[in-house]
Amino acid sequence: MTPTPLSRGAHNRCLYCHSATQRKIRKLFGDNDDQLHRCPQCDTQKRLRQGSGAGVDVDDPDPVEHPERYYGNNLPPQAAILSDGGETA
């Protein structure tokens, strides 16, 4: 899935999945402009801590591209929906 640009004034949303995000999460995991490139709805906490939220490429597999590698609480809630293009609920 390729991220799509957000409309102007939508800085409080994830740039990848467009989920609403809290300011403290944007400040903690976001880039220098407090923009989130990935969020807890579309990425794992481990990857966010490694910098994926700030747009950094990380070594751990992306849960959207490799959902089979994640199970239980390690899979972000929307990752399964994003990975199949929304064909299953």
Side-chain angles (χ1 to χ4, degrees), residues 37-50:
H37 296 254
R38 296 293 292 267
C39 74
Q41 294 298 311
C42 62
D43 212 347
T44 62
Q45 287 292 321
K46 182 177 180 182
R47 285 176 44 88
L48 289 170
R49 287 191 304 268
Q50 293 173 347

PDB file of all heavy atoms in Angstrom, residues 37-50:
ATOM      1  N   HIS A  37       4.538   9.181  10.063  1.00  0.00           N
ATOM      2  CA  HIS A  37       4.566   8.451   8.803  1.00  0.00           C
ATOM      3  C   HIS A  37       3.926   7.078   8.972  1.00  0.00           C
ATOM      4  O   HIS A  37       3.417   6.515   8.011  1.00  0.00           O
ATOM      5  CB  HIS A  37       6.004   8.317   8.304  1.00  0.00           C
ATOM      6  CG  HIS A  37       6.615   9.635   7.986  1.00  0.00           C
ATOM      7  ND1 HIS A  37       6.811  10.061   6.704  1.00  0.00           N
ATOM      8  CD2 HIS A  37       7.035  10.645   8.796  1.00  0.00           C
ATOM      9  CE1 HIS A  37       7.350  11.275   6.721  1.00  0.00           C
ATOM     10  NE2 HIS A  37       7.494  11.645   7.979  1.00  0.00           N
ATOM     11  N   ARG A  38       3.985   6.532  10.172  1.00  0.00           N
ATOM     12  CA  ARG A  38       3.312   5.294  10.567  1.00  0.00           C
ATOM     13  C   ARG A  38       2.840   5.511  11.997  1.00  0.00           C
ATOM     14  O   ARG A  38       3.424   6.288  12.737  1.00  0.00           O
ATOM     15  CB  ARG A  38       4.257   4.095  10.508  1.00  0.00           C
ATOM     16  CG  ARG A  38       4.779   3.756   9.120  1.00  0.00           C
ATOM     17  CD  ARG A  38       3.706   3.264   8.160  1.00  0.00           C
ATOM     18  NE  ARG A  38       3.165   1.980   8.497  1.00  0.00           N
ATOM     19  CZ  ARG A  38       3.600   0.832   8.022  1.00  0.00           C
ATOM     20  NH1 ARG A  38       4.600   0.793   7.171  1.00  0.00           N
ATOM     21  NH2 ARG A  38       3.025  -0.300   8.381  1.00  0.00           N
ATOM     22  N   CYS A  39       1.770   4.810  12.388  1.00  0.00           N
ATOM     23  CA  CYS A  39       1.189   4.998  13.720  1.00  0.00           C
ATOM     24  C   CYS A  39       0.887   3.640  14.356  1.00  0.00           C
ATOM     25  O   CYS A  39       1.028   2.613  13.698  1.00  0.00           O
ATOM     26  CB  CYS A  39      -0.072   5.856  13.634  1.00  0.00           C
ATOM     27  SG  CYS A  39      -1.505   4.993  12.937  1.00  0.00           S
ATOM     28  N   PRO A  40       0.445   3.611  15.605  1.00  0.00           N
ATOM     29  CA  PRO A  40       0.119   2.338  16.252  1.00  0.00           C
ATOM     30  C   PRO A  40      -1.015   1.566  15.575  1.00  0.00           C
ATOM     31  O   PRO A  40      -1.172   0.376  15.816  1.00  0.00           O
ATOM     32  CB  PRO A  40      -0.282   2.749  17.678  1.00  0.00           C
ATOM     33  CG  PRO A  40       0.412   4.037  17.908  1.00  0.00           C
ATOM     34  CD  PRO A  40       0.425   4.722  16.562  1.00  0.00           C
ATOM     35  N   GLN A  41      -1.779   2.209  14.719  1.00  0.00           N
ATOM     36  CA  GLN A  41      -2.853   1.515  14.003  1.00  0.00           C
ATOM     37  C   GLN A  41      -2.343   0.746  12.790  1.00  0.00           C
ATOM     38  O   GLN A  41      -2.993  -0.180  12.325  1.00  0.00           O
ATOM     39  CB  GLN A  41      -3.932   2.505  13.562  1.00  0.00           C
ATOM     40  CG  GLN A  41      -4.672   3.133  14.703  1.00  0.00           C
ATOM     41  CD  GLN A  41      -5.425   2.099  15.521  1.00  0.00           C
ATOM     42  OE1 GLN A  41      -6.141   1.264  14.983  1.00  0.00           O
ATOM     43  NE2 GLN A  41      -5.254   2.148  16.829  1.00  0.00           N
ATOM     44  N   CYS A  42      -1.190   1.116  12.261  1.00  0.00           N
ATOM     45  CA  CYS A  42      -0.698   0.458  11.049  1.00  0.00           C
ATOM     46  C   CYS A  42       0.721  -0.094  11.185  1.00  0.00           C
ATOM     47  O   CYS A  42       1.272  -0.613  10.218  1.00  0.00           O
ATOM     48  CB  CYS A  42      -0.784   1.400   9.846  1.00  0.00           C
ATOM     49  SG  CYS A  42       0.221   2.891   9.978  1.00  0.00           S
ATOM     50  N   ASP A  43       1.310   0.018  12.364  1.00  0.00           N
ATOM     51  CA  ASP A  43       2.660  -0.492  12.567  1.00  0.00           C
ATOM     52  C   ASP A  43       2.810  -0.986  14.003  1.00  0.00           C
ATOM     53  O   ASP A  43       1.978  -0.675  14.858  1.00  0.00           O
ATOM     54  CB  ASP A  43       3.691   0.599  12.266  1.00  0.00           C
ATOM     55  CG  ASP A  43       4.988   0.038  11.713  1.00  0.00           C
ATOM     56  OD1 ASP A  43       5.198  -1.185  11.778  1.00  0.00           O
ATOM     57  OD2 ASP A  43       5.804   0.831  11.214  1.00  0.00           O
ATOM     58  N   THR A  44       3.860  -1.743  14.250  1.00  0.00           N
ATOM     59  CA  THR A  44       4.075  -2.297  15.587  1.00  0.00           C
ATOM     60  C   THR A  44       4.825  -1.301  16.471  1.00  0.00           C
ATOM     61  O   THR A  44       5.531  -0.417  15.969  1.00  0.00           O
ATOM     62  CB  THR A  44       4.895  -3.599  15.513  1.00  0.00           C
ATOM     63  OG1 THR A  44       6.184  -3.312  14.963  1.00  0.00           O
ATOM     64  CG2 THR A  44       4.194  -4.649  14.670  1.00  0.00           C
ATOM     65  N   GLN A  45       4.683  -1.469  17.773  1.00  0.00           N
ATOM     66  CA  GLN A  45       5.394  -0.610  18.725  1.00  0.00           C
ATOM     67  C   GLN A  45       6.905  -0.726  18.539  1.00  0.00           C
ATOM     68  O   GLN A  45       7.615   0.276  18.603  1.00  0.00           O
ATOM     69  CB  GLN A  45       5.009  -0.970  20.166  1.00  0.00           C
ATOM     70  CG  GLN A  45       3.619  -0.530  20.542  1.00  0.00           C
ATOM     71  CD  GLN A  45       3.505   0.976  20.607  1.00  0.00           C
ATOM     72  OE1 GLN A  45       4.408   1.673  21.069  1.00  0.00           O
ATOM     73  NE2 GLN A  45       2.396   1.493  20.126  1.00  0.00           N
ATOM     74  N   LYS A  46       7.375  -1.925  18.290  1.00  0.00           N
ATOM     75  CA  LYS A  46       8.812  -2.125  18.109  1.00  0.00           C
ATOM     76  C   LYS A  46       9.335  -1.316  16.928  1.00  0.00           C
ATOM     77  O   LYS A  46      10.354  -0.631  17.020  1.00  0.00           O
ATOM     78  CB  LYS A  46       9.110  -3.611  17.898  1.00  0.00           C
ATOM     79  CG  LYS A  46      10.576  -3.913  17.756  1.00  0.00           C
ATOM     80  CD  LYS A  46      10.821  -5.403  17.617  1.00  0.00           C
ATOM     81  CE  LYS A  46      12.305  -5.681  17.466  1.00  0.00           C
ATOM     82  NZ  LYS A  46      12.571  -7.106  17.293  1.00  0.00           N
ATOM     83  N   ARG A  47       8.625  -1.369  15.804  1.00  0.00           N
ATOM     84  CA  ARG A  47       9.053  -0.613  14.624  1.00  0.00           C
ATOM     85  C   ARG A  47       8.933   0.892  14.861  1.00  0.00           C
ATOM     86  O   ARG A  47       9.784   1.658  14.416  1.00  0.00           O
ATOM     87  CB  ARG A  47       8.235  -1.039  13.399  1.00  0.00           C
ATOM     88  CG  ARG A  47       8.643  -2.395  12.850  1.00  0.00           C
ATOM     89  CD  ARG A  47       7.743  -2.830  11.705  1.00  0.00           C
ATOM     90  NE  ARG A  47       7.468  -1.785  10.744  1.00  0.00           N
ATOM     91  CZ  ARG A  47       8.230  -1.501   9.678  1.00  0.00           C
ATOM     92  NH1 ARG A  47       9.318  -2.197   9.442  1.00  0.00           N
ATOM     93  NH2 ARG A  47       7.889  -0.540   8.850  1.00  0.00           N
ATOM     94  N   LEU A  48       7.880   1.309  15.579  1.00  0.00           N
ATOM     95  CA  LEU A  48       7.730   2.736  15.892  1.00  0.00           C
ATOM     96  C   LEU A  48       8.899   3.218  16.741  1.00  0.00           C
ATOM     97  O   LEU A  48       9.444   4.305  16.507  1.00  0.00           O
ATOM     98  CB  LEU A  48       6.403   3.001  16.604  1.00  0.00           C
ATOM     99  CG  LEU A  48       5.165   2.859  15.727  1.00  0.00           C
ATOM    100  CD1 LEU A  48       3.905   2.913  16.585  1.00  0.00           C
ATOM    101  CD2 LEU A  48       5.129   3.926  14.654  1.00  0.00           C
ATOM    102  N   ARG A  49       9.302   2.421  17.730  1.00  0.00           N
ATOM    103  CA  ARG A  49      10.442   2.794  18.580  1.00  0.00           C
ATOM    104  C   ARG A  49      11.742   2.856  17.780  1.00  0.00           C
ATOM    105  O   ARG A  49      12.654   3.593  18.129  1.00  0.00           O
ATOM    106  CB  ARG A  49      10.591   1.815  19.750  1.00  0.00           C
ATOM    107  CG  ARG A  49       9.537   1.981  20.815  1.00  0.00           C
ATOM    108  CD  ARG A  49       9.853   1.183  22.071  1.00  0.00           C
ATOM    109  NE  ARG A  49      10.050  -0.225  21.823  1.00  0.00           N
ATOM    110  CZ  ARG A  49       9.113  -1.159  21.870  1.00  0.00           C
ATOM    111  NH1 ARG A  49       7.876  -0.835  22.192  1.00  0.00           N
ATOM    112  NH2 ARG A  49       9.394  -2.416  21.621  1.00  0.00           N
ATOM    113  N   GLN A  50      11.818   2.096  16.706  1.00  0.00           N
ATOM    114  CA  GLN A  50      13.010   2.102  15.856  1.00  0.00           C
ATOM    115  C   GLN A  50      13.005   3.265  14.860  1.00  0.00           C
ATOM    116  O   GLN A  50      14.009   3.499  14.197  1.00  0.00           O
ATOM    117  CB  GLN A  50      13.134   0.776  15.104  1.00  0.00           C
ATOM    118  CG  GLN A  50      13.411  -0.395  16.009  1.00  0.00           C
ATOM    119  CD  GLN A  50      13.362  -1.719  15.257  1.00  0.00           C
ATOM    120  OE1 GLN A  50      12.890  -1.813  14.118  1.00  0.00           O
ATOM    121  NE2 GLN A  50      13.855  -2.758  15.900  1.00  0.00           N
TER     122      GLN A  50
END
